Each structure stands twice: as C-alpha cells, then as structure tokens.
Amino acid sequence: MRSHRRPRLLAPLMLAPLIAGCYASGGGDDSGAGGDGGGDGSRLRVALAFPPAEGLSPYGADATLLSRLAVTEGLTALDANGSAAPALAESWRQDGEKTWEFTLRDATFQDGSEVTPAAVADSLTHATDAKPAPAALAGVTLTAEAQGDRVVRITTAEPDPVLPLRLSSPSLAVLSAKAYGDKGRVDPVGTATGPFELTKVNGATSASLDRFDDYWGGRAQASGIDARFIADGTARANALRTGELDIAEAIPVAQAATLDEDTRRDTATTRTTSLLFNASSGTFKDAKLRAAARAAVDTSVFAKDVYEGYADPGAGIYGPAVTWAEGKRTAPVGRAEAKKPSGATIDLATYDNRPELPEVAQVVKQQLEKAGFKVKLTVREYSRLEGDALAGKFDAFVLARNTLVDTGDPVAVLASDYTCDGGYNIAQLCDKGVDRAVAEAEKTADTAKRQDAAMAAEARILGSDAVVPLVHQRIITGVGSSVQGVILDPYERTLVGTGTRR
C-alpha cells in the first residue's frame, strides 16, 4: 500500500556543493543591506510563477513561496556553500548521536509574541504531526522540547547527521501559536518571523506584504511587497518590460532576448528537468518498455534547442551545479533489456508554469512516437495537475525539480522522489534495491562517504529507467534597472531580503 504523496513545488549538506551566489536568508547578508534598512523605501512589485496550491500552508507546495517572499524562516538557513547557517538559531551543538541543542537568538514573531524555545518546539511538533509529513521529514522521526530560556533540544529516533541542514527546509518554518488552527490548518498571515509580513492573500491571484519593523535582522529597505502570481511566463516578461513589475522570476528562455541585458540575470541552479515513467502501473510497469522509451529519447537536443543555451545536457539526477557529483558518478545499475513498443499507449503530462516544459514534452512525444509508442499529451497549470501526477494517473511526466530545495541534502531528494514511501514519488518507483541504497546513504555521516553513497543510489535509480534526466537548468530572473539586492539563489529558496530595494 502506497503512502500518501506529499505535494511539492518543482522543486550540500555539510557535504556542501560549492555553488556561488547562494545566500542564507536572514538579516544583513543581502546585497546592499544597510544597518536598519533605511527610511520608508518603495514597495517592491514581484511576480512569482506559481500560484498558491494549498492555501499557503508551509507543509506543501507553497513553502518556497513563503521563503522566496521573505515571510518565513527556520532555525537554520543555507549559506553560499550549501552548509547549514544560523537563522532563528544562532548556534547549535550535538549531544550524542541522536540529540542536538539549538540556541535561539532574540527574535519576535510578527504577531508580537516572542520566539521562545517552547514556541519553536510547538511549531516543529505541528510539522511532525502534519499529514502527510513535509518532505524534509521523510523517514525521520523527531521530538522537540524546550530547555531553559534559550535552548531547543531536538532528538531523532535514529542518528541524523544532517539535522541542522534538514531544519533549513522552507517546510520547517517556525510560526507562532496563532498560526495553528483546527484540523491541521496553518495560517502564515502575521505569524511568521521574516522581514516581510503577509497582510492579505487574494486567493491564487496576489498577496500583500508589509515590512516587519521588529525583524531581528534589521528593518528591510523596501516598505513592503505587492506580489502577483502569474503562471504565464510571457505575461511576466511583458509586465517587467513595461515597468509594471520590479522583479519577475522564471523568465522563459524564449523571452530572454526581449529584455534589456541589464534587466536579466541567469543563474546556474540545482534544478533538473527530467522525464519520469510510472513504474507501478500502465505501460511503463514493464521495465523493458521503460528501457525502450529511455533509449528513444535523444537528450542532446533539449539544452541547445529548447533552452537556447540556458541549460546543460542531462547527466544524472544531479547536474553540474552540484560540483562534486560528476567526479563520483558511476554507470546505471540493473537496466532491463529494451523491447519493441509495438504501439503501446502513453499518457504524457506536464505543466505550463515553466513555459519550456510543454515544448520539452512535445519533443519527447515526437521521439517516443518515432520509436513506436502512441502518445497523448496533457498540459495544465501545475496546481491543477499535481494531484493527478502524485496519484500516478499518468504514464509519463516531464518535471522540473530542484534536487536540493527540500533540505539541501542530496540524499533527501532520492528518498522523497524514488523510494517506495517517498512523499513526492511521481515515478511511482518501488524497488527494494533502490530503497536499500537510499537507506545506506541516509545513515552515512562522513561527507565524502555520504556523497559516494548518494551516487551509488543514483546509479540504481537511473538503472531502473524510471527517470531520464533531460537538462540541468539555468534560471532567468527579470530585474528592473532601478532594483538592487535581489537574491539570485541556486536553490531557489530566496528571492528578496532586507537589502532588496528600488
């Protein structure tokens, strides 16, 4: 029996892939930040590509929306090297194999209450009780309790060598007691700790945020944010070009040339676009047909033609932005022998929030049809597609997935996306060999050995032919010529901060 799937946006360790340009969220580190944030700066007009899918719950697809708008924070953040950095916790230490103690900084929730050890422990307990659990807690059981005036003591059922990194996940944001309502409802409006406070959410259309003047990291230089959720990439680019926006994320590559050079930024990311095959039902339950489909896909065309050079050819689950991966990559293990498709039918799906994906899917469709498959293509907006994808209603799915967004730990994406009980297992893969390899990686503490174990698990996953990596993306951010301090984050967790202004 499959566990429920955790919806998650498409989407280092102390292992830390060295990725330039990533900044821990929090006060003072943002480009251009000044002492107390200056006077009453102008409001920022920001467009995000994905509308809220779950009422801005931090436990689901909307967690990174909240972190990108600088609303929420966790005990830790990711620094420029992908290591755990201080956020609401100013320091931490390990006490034995299973227990860690986090010392809190002086901070205030946006509702005026203090960030106390009891409040943090309560917030983390709500996350552990969420059904289904956040992806960052996949396979992890933890308990949190207050200890004294400043310390939160967290104990895991099994040793967790990457717990400080895990706690940087946007889905483990710390919220005040007022955030938690009946029946598991969580409301981040006015209950978080970041430099910007949500004041109004207009469904899936827009949101208003005001500067939180008591932010522990100093007052933000912008007085607030007017956020719009615009799924159409061309519309985002047009709005930036006409001066309606200050910042537009995920500009389509086809629109990049329409922007002035000084208003576009491209950043190498840990996002991989892959073709996933449903390994549990339908046509691709047969490993030999998965092998035939994988062999039919020519991945060389996507980076050059579809992404127009704003991507690198697919090499594996981890791309070149994860700098240690290539030198440790090994050949796929256990691949089946391909057999002729003989007209086998495929329901292929993708979403249009990232405008390149429908084109990628169209090319995949043509390649599979040439090999002898019959293919039906479904394209919808992501929030209208996610539930069906997680329920295994498609035979194949083109997905853009940030492999390090959930925890920063490269093993975490393997557990959530490719194990039997994985919370984001769109491929519906359930392979004992893969599960054993991922479990081995999860329990490995040594940095180099954990990397080796992750790559051994990758080899088994690729050998199952449940996933075909197509390209490793660069993301294009549109930035108005008067805007400073935008955070260009390879992990795609942050976008604005205290120093972002115009």
Side-chain angles (χ1 to χ4, degrees), residues 35-379:
D36 66 357
D40 293 324
S42 300
R43 294 179 66 83
L44 294 167
R45 300 163 300 168
V46 178
L48 301 183
F50 290 86
E54 298 178 310
L56 288 177
S57 166
Y59 303 144
D62 300 343
T64 52
L65 295 181
L66 295 169
S67 68
R68 288 175 72 72
L69 291 172
V71 174
T72 54
E73 301 173 298
L75 287 179
T76 62
L78 290 182
D79 69 9
N81 294 324
S83 298
L88 291 175
E90 62 183 15
S91 63
W92 52 88
R93 71 179 188 91
Q94 192 166 9
D95 182 13
E97 287 189 331
K98 300 180 182 180
T99 300
W100 298 72
E101 292 185 346
F102 293 82
T103 300
L104 303 182
R105 67 174 74 252
D106 291 331
T108 305
F109 288 110
Q110 293 161 351
D111 62 12
S113 60
E114 292 185 13
V115 178
T116 63
V120 172
D122 181 65
S123 185
L124 291 176
T125 299
H126 279 288
T128 63
D129 291 341
K131 302 297 181 188
L137 294 179
V140 176
T141 301
L142 63 80
T143 56
E145 59 183 359
Q147 183 166 306
D149 294 333
R150 298 187 63 204
V151 174
V152 178
R153 187 174 173 89
I154 300 177
T155 302
T156 55
E158 300 294 334
D160 186 5
V162 296
L163 182 65
L165 198 63
R166 188 181 306 281
L167 293 172
S168 73
S169 170
S171 65
L172 298 182
V174 174
L175 303 174
S176 73
K178 291 182 180 179
Y180 304 101
D182 296 334
K183 298 180 180 179
R185 183 176 179 273
V186 185
D187 186 1
V189 176
T191 59
T193 62
F196 292 101
E197 175 184 353
L198 271 174
T199 58
K200 185 177 182 181
V201 179
N202 300 310
T205 303
S206 64
S208 296
L209 302 87
D210 289 341
R211 178 172 55 207
F212 176 43
D213 288 341
D214 291 330
Y215 178 55
W216 62 264
R219 294 171 73 232
Q221 295 193 14
S223 61
I225 299 173
D226 296 312
R228 296 164 59 188
F229 305 109
I230 304 175
D232 187 285
T234 300
R236 289 195 301 277
N238 288 340
L240 182 83
R241 191 166 50 247
T242 58
E244 297 175 43
L245 294 174
D246 299 308
I247 304 168
E249 72 167 1
I251 297 295
V253 294
Q255 295 294 317
T258 70
L259 300 181
D260 292 339
E261 187 174 352
D262 65 349
T263 63
R264 65 176 188 262
R265 314 277 193 276
D266 68 279
T267 309
T269 73
T270 54
R271 180 174 297 279
T272 296
T273 295
S274 298
L275 175 61
L276 302 172
F277 296 130
N278 185 337
S280 289
S281 63
T283 296
F284 290 126
K285 184 176 182 180
D286 186 338
K288 293 183 178 180
L289 286 176
R290 296 201 301 272
R294 180 258 307 158
V297 176
D298 178 3
T299 61
S300 67
V301 304
F302 296 101
K304 179 181 178 181
D305 295 338
V306 178
Y307 286 88
E308 300 180 17
Y310 288 102
D312 297 297
I317 293 172
Y318 314 106
V322 185
T323 55
W324 52 264
E326 185 58 34
K328 293 175 177 284
R329 181 164 284 121
T330 58
V333 174
R335 276 183 167 162
E337 183 178 348
K339 73 177 185 182
K340 291 183 178 181
S342 301
T345 60
I346 301 169
D347 192 351
L348 169 67
T350 195
Y351 47 99
D352 55 10
N353 304 72
R354 299 186 182 277
E356 298 82 18
L357 296 189
E359 185 177 352
V360 170
Q362 187 63 45
V363 174
V364 168
K365 178 177 184 290
Q366 293 168 357
Q367 292 180 346
L368 292 177
E369 288 175 337
K370 185 177 180 180
F373 291 95
K374 293 181 180 179
V375 185
K376 173 190 173 185
L377 176 59
T378 298
V379 179

Side-chain angles (χ1 to χ4, degrees), residues 8 11-13 15 134-140 160 162 165-169 171-172 317-318 324 401-419 421-425 437-439 441-444 450 453-455 457 461 493:
R8 180 78 33 206
L13 196 95
L15 306 176
L137 294 179
V140 176
D160 186 5
V162 296
L165 198 63
R166 188 181 306 281
L167 293 172
S168 73
S169 170
S171 65
L172 298 182
I317 293 172
Y318 314 106
W324 52 264
R401 174 73 156 134
N402 192 318
T403 57
L404 300 178
V405 72
D406 287 330
T407 65
D409 173 16
V411 179
V413 73
L414 305 184
S416 68
D417 290 22
Y418 302 108
T419 63
D421 293 327
Y424 197 64
N425 189 352
V438 172
E442 286 181 315
K443 70 182 183 182
T444 304
R450 192 176 178 97
M455 299 311 292
I461 293 166
R493 292 179 172 196

